[in-house]
Amino acid sequence: MNIYSPTDTPEFNSGQSYDIAIIGAGPAGMSAAVTAAEAGASVVVLDDKPKAGGQIYRNVTNSPLTQPELLGEDYLKGAALVEAFEKSSTEHIHAANVWHVGDNGEVLFSRDGGTQSLTARELIVSGGAMERPFPIPGWHLPGVMSAGSAQVMLKSDGLVRDDAVFVGTGPLLYLIVAQYLRLGVPVKALVDTTPKSAYLDAMAEVGGALSATSMLRKGLLLLNEIRQAGVPVYRFASDLQITGNSAVTGLKFTSGNEGRQLEAEHIFLHQGVIPNLNLTRAMGLEHHWCDQQLCWKPTLNRWGQSSLDTIAVAGDGSGIVGADGASVMGKLAALNQLQRLGQISADSRDQQAQPLFRELERLNKFRRFIDRLYRPIKAHRIPESDDTVVCRCEERTVADLKRGFELGANGPQDLKGMTRCGMGPCQGRQCGHTVSELLAQWRGISVAEVGYYRLRSPMRLLNLTELGQFSRVEPKPSTTGAAS
């Protein structure tokens, strides 16, 4: 997997290689960095954003909003972690787009118009989550975005869209609607797709809900806040169809056994988040299909260690558990890598990890409840109409994919080669899971048997100028760890 080095087995020099390189500066990446740096390791964090925080804590220490507290206490508490991260001895490389990670510890990334490289003895990938695709008729039209995009605009630039319709299910959807309302932004409607049956199904995990009553209470308060603001809430919505030709004009759906139609120029969709896997896939790590969260995940041990011993995955990129869980996972991954580097003993690692494992189990119990309650329905994951777009980059519809399948494309990679589905700039992020589930349905086998796209580096579009300006990054003498 190494592009530049002719050797298969790296020989690390403590003056030239970092002890630990971390990709992503969200809750998991920052917590891992602070933990490792405090133990004396030389740590570098690569992040594609200009400031640390990830999506959940984006711009928490320099918000463009005059009243950032309106975004909620869960957002504001991230300031302490960002400040601890920035005060640590960790080297921070912001605005760095990682596009290759070799199995010899080499990391290649674009920054300032050129390509830079570094090596590390251990690596932690904390790339976070992405929103689950929502392939319904019309979801590709201009004016339709993900609810997470609405939150990004809000946190990054203070931009909002008046009179938008929010559609879907899950805590994040309700939080973003509440944040809009607190800022005085009118919301036209909330169209909730959570089916009635989900409330009964979730009772099987009610113990998990009771293990985190404060989190359950927050969710109930959000729903009550939306209702009290007078926003029309349509529950148990199904048969979704976004209308419009060159741009969105509205939404058709069924709610309460009645057909309804709303006019809107902006529609935000959301039905949960899934791990962002393109980097871990390109690295050749083992993955498996998780039926609980209906997504692919890297296959990891309890410390987050992957099928390649020197690489760990932490945070929502390993499976959705939320910001608090991501922070815990980052600490666990760092402790294990510190032990592997010989900087702490196994006994010290295990002692520090005990309370972290207990907290993570508590959070996972609550997550199992959330996953049952807000499980996206089949019709919103596996499109039924032949003219529904699956691949937004290449504008490939269900009918296009079906023709490819009928001509013999039985796997995602075959279908990609025959139809170009998944070949666009997003490299399959918005269609990969849908393609796997469509093929599983057509073939009458499990998603695990179907598999996923085969991805390779580079993980982003590159130009010759970037490749022509190559430089190497090495640890500063003051941050070089004691590892031999």
Side-chain angles (χ1 to χ4, degrees):
M1 296 175 62
N2 178 25
I3 291 180
Y4 293 99
S5 174
T7 61
D8 293 327
T9 304
E11 294 183 3
F12 291 102
N13 183 307
S14 61
Q16 298 176 352
S17 296
Y18 292 89
D19 292 327
I20 300 175
I22 300 171
I23 300 174
M30 290 189 293
S31 295
V34 171
T35 300
E38 286 178 347
S42 61
V43 183
V44 61
V45 174
L46 300 162
D47 189 40
D48 60 357
K49 300 175 181 61
K51 293 280 291 184
Q55 167 60 5
I56 187 66
Y57 299 139
R58 182 186 291 264
N59 284 340
V60 67
T61 56
N62 62 331
S63 174
L65 302 174
T66 57
Q67 294 179 287
E69 64 273 11
L70 294 178
L71 298 183
E73 61 181 22
D74 286 338
Y75 172 66
L76 293 180
K77 74 179 182 182
L81 179 56
V82 172
E83 290 169 359
F85 169 70
E86 292 177 341
K87 290 178 181 178
S88 72
S89 62
T90 303
E91 287 189 40
H92 319 152
I93 303 180
H94 297 297
N97 289 285
V98 174
W99 52 265
H100 172 77
V101 178
D103 52 12
N104 66 343
E106 182 180 47
V107 181
L108 302 177
F109 57 98
S110 296
R111 188 169 188 260
D112 295 332
T115 291
Q116 299 181 359
S117 74
L118 58 83
T119 56
R121 303 179 68 188
E122 301 279 330
L123 181 76
I124 299 176
V125 179
S126 54
M130 55 172 278
E131 286 191 79
R132 181 188 299 276
F134 205 144
I136 58 175
W139 76 308
H140 63 290
L141 291 171
V144 182
M145 300 173 65
S146 69
S149 299
Q151 194 179 55
V152 168
M153 293 191 300
L154 181 63
K155 292 179 178 179
S156 298
D157 303 300
L159 296 177
V160 296
R161 292 290 182 265
D162 290 353
D163 295 317
V165 175
F166 287 80
V167 185
T169 183
L172 181 60
L173 181 72
Y174 311 140
L175 173 61
I176 298 171
V177 172
Q179 290 173 338
Y180 258 51
L181 296 173
R182 293 168 192 167
L183 293 167
V185 182
V187 173
K188 188 157 194 173
L190 169 61
V191 180
D192 193 329
T193 61
T194 310
K196 288 182 180 179
S197 60
Y199 293 92
L200 182 60
D201 292 341
M203 293 304 294
E205 300 291 345
V206 69
L210 297 177
S211 70
T213 54
S214 62
M215 297 172 71
L216 185 62
R217 182 173 178 272
K218 287 177 184 177
L220 294 173
L221 289 175
L222 284 176
L223 291 171
N224 188 53
E225 184 178 349
I226 294 168
R227 292 190 186 98
Q228 288 187 344
V231 175
V233 178
Y234 300 92
R235 302 182 65 196
F236 316 128
S238 61
D239 305 319
L240 303 177
Q241 180 182 351
I242 297 171
T243 60
N245 293 315
S246 59
V248 61
T249 58
L251 176 74
K252 291 181 179 179
F253 60 98
T254 301
S255 176
N257 296 319
E258 182 180 343
R260 301 177 185 273
Q261 183 166 356
L262 299 174
E263 293 182 0
E265 295 181 356
H266 304 286
I267 294 178
F268 294 119
L269 301 175
H270 179 81
Q271 56 175 347
V273 294
I274 55 178
N276 190 344
L277 300 177
N278 280 40
L279 183 57
T280 56
R281 283 280 182 180
M283 292 163 66
L285 304 185
E286 291 181 8
H287 290 72
H288 66 276
W289 177 258
C290 173
D291 188 63
Q292 176 189 325
Q293 296 190 342
L294 294 171
C295 64
W296 293 99
K297 293 182 178 182
T299 301
L300 311 170
N301 69 10
R302 68 198 298 254
W303 299 98
Q305 192 172 10
S306 74
S307 53
L308 292 177
D309 291 348
T310 58
I311 297 176
V313 185
D316 282 347
S318 66
I320 308 306
V321 69
D324 291 341
S327 180
V328 171
M329 294 168 72
K331 293 176 184 177
L332 288 170
L335 288 173
N336 188 55
Q337 291 191 343
L338 288 168
Q339 188 274 324
R340 285 173 48 80
L341 291 165
Q343 298 196 354
I344 62 174
S345 66
D347 287 343
S348 176
R349 177 199 66 180
D350 294 347
Q351 184 177 6
Q352 294 181 65
Q354 283 182 3
L356 298 175
F357 279 124
R358 287 195 295 269
E359 175 63 7
L360 189 58
E361 176 56 26
R362 184 184 72 85
L363 293 171
N364 277 324
K365 285 182 179 179
F366 184 75
R367 173 51 55 177
R368 288 192 285 272
F369 169 76
I370 291 295
D371 290 338
R372 278 289 190 100
L373 180 57
Y374 298 119
R375 187 179 180 88
I377 65 174
K378 182 179 178 181
H380 296 161
R381 304 188 331 267
I382 309 175
E384 300 171 346
S385 174
D386 279 353
D387 59 359
T388 299
V389 170
V390 174
C391 177
R392 297 175 62 158
C393 297
E394 297 293 329
E395 297 185 347
R396 292 297 180 262
T397 65
V398 172
D400 295 327
L401 303 190
K402 194 175 294 183
R403 280 193 292 271
F405 171 70
E406 291 170 349
L407 289 172
N410 289 324
Q413 199 66 21
D414 297 332
L415 202 61
K416 178 195 286 188
M418 191 170 290
T419 68
R420 294 192 56 83
C421 179
M423 286 190 179
C426 87
Q427 296 185 309
R429 288 176 178 86
Q430 285 298 308
C431 66
H433 281 71
T434 307
V435 166
S436 292
E437 290 203 86
L438 275 171
L439 285 171
Q441 178 174 276
W442 292 340
R443 294 178 60 186
I445 61 176
S446 69
V447 180
E449 292 176 276
V450 168
Y452 192 79
Y453 292 135
R454 184 171 65 248
L455 302 180
R456 299 185 180 92
S457 299
M459 294 314 302
R460 61 180 294 273
L461 297 176
L462 300 172
N463 57 51
L464 292 178
T465 301
E466 288 177 275
L467 294 174
Q469 299 181 18
F470 189 87
S471 61
R472 179 169 172 78
V473 177
E474 296 182 357
K476 299 175 182 177
S478 61
T479 62
T480 301
S484 59

